[in-house]
Amino acid sequence: MTLLDYEYLRKLLKERSGLDLSADKQYLVESRLIPLARRAGLSGIAELVQKMKNGADALITDVVEAMTTNETFFFRDKIPFDHLRDTILPQLVPARTNRRALRIWSAASSTGQEPYSIAMCLREFGPALSG
C-alpha cells in the first residue's frame, strides 16, 4: 500500500466512522482490507482505493465495516478498564466529593456491555460512591 493510499483511507475512515488511525496502523489496514479487495475481485488495496475514489459507495461502506470493531462483550479490551479502576477512579472520586456527581460517557457500545462494565467498576468503589 502506498503512503497516498493509506492517507486517503485514514481520512475516509475518520470522516465516515470517526476511526482515527495513527501512522503506524498500516499493517492493520492491510490485514483487514486485502481480504475485502480479493472478495471484490480486485488485485489489492491500490485498486480498491481507485474504485472508491471513482464513487463505489457500496465498497466504501464495506471498507468502513471491515475497519471498525463490530463486537461487544463485558470488559472488552481489558487495559482501559484496568486503567479506569486502578488510576482514573481513585483520582476522580475524591476530587468530586463536594460535587457528589460523576458523569461517564461511553461511546460505541453496540448492545450495552461496555457501559455495564463501567458500572461494575464503579460498583467496586461501593461506599465511596454512596449518595
Side-chain angles (χ1 to χ4, degrees):
M1 170 178 1
T2 68
L3 182 58
L4 288 175
D5 287 345
Y6 183 61
E7 289 305 317
Y8 169 81
L9 289 166
R10 284 178 66 188
K11 183 178 181 215
L12 176 101
L13 290 165
K14 177 73 173 167
E15 289 171 357
R16 297 287 180 114
S17 70
L19 182 60
D20 192 8
L21 294 171
S22 59
D24 65 339
K25 296 293 184 185
Q26 188 168 341
Y27 73 93
L28 178 65
V29 173
E30 289 174 340
S31 70
R32 292 190 182 181
L33 296 188
I34 287 173
L36 174 67
R38 288 185 181 139
R39 283 192 304 274
L42 306 172
S43 62
I45 292 178
E47 191 176 356
L48 178 75
V49 168
Q50 191 57 47
K51 290 255 187 210
M52 292 166 59
K53 286 179 178 178
N54 290 334
D57 288 338
L59 202 51
I60 291 171
T61 300
D62 291 344
V63 165
V64 171
E65 285 295 315
M67 290 305 304
T68 54
T69 302
N70 295 307
E71 64 182 13
T72 186
F73 50 89
F74 292 102
F75 296 98
R76 183 175 68 84
D77 298 329
K78 180 182 181 315
I79 292 172
F81 289 105
D82 289 345
H83 188 64
L84 175 67
R85 183 184 305 110
D86 301 336
T87 306
I88 295 172
L89 288 174
Q91 294 173 6
L92 198 56
V93 170
R96 297 291 182 144
T97 55
N98 292 337
R99 254 176 135 176
R100 306 299 298 160
L102 182 64
R103 288 184 186 202
I104 298 176
W105 180 62
S106 176
S109 64
S110 109
T111 57
Q113 284 89 335
E114 290 84 355
Y116 278 108
S117 297
I118 292 169
M120 287 183 251
C121 289
L122 290 169
R123 178 80 179 181
E124 292 174 9
F125 276 77
L129 295 176
S130 66

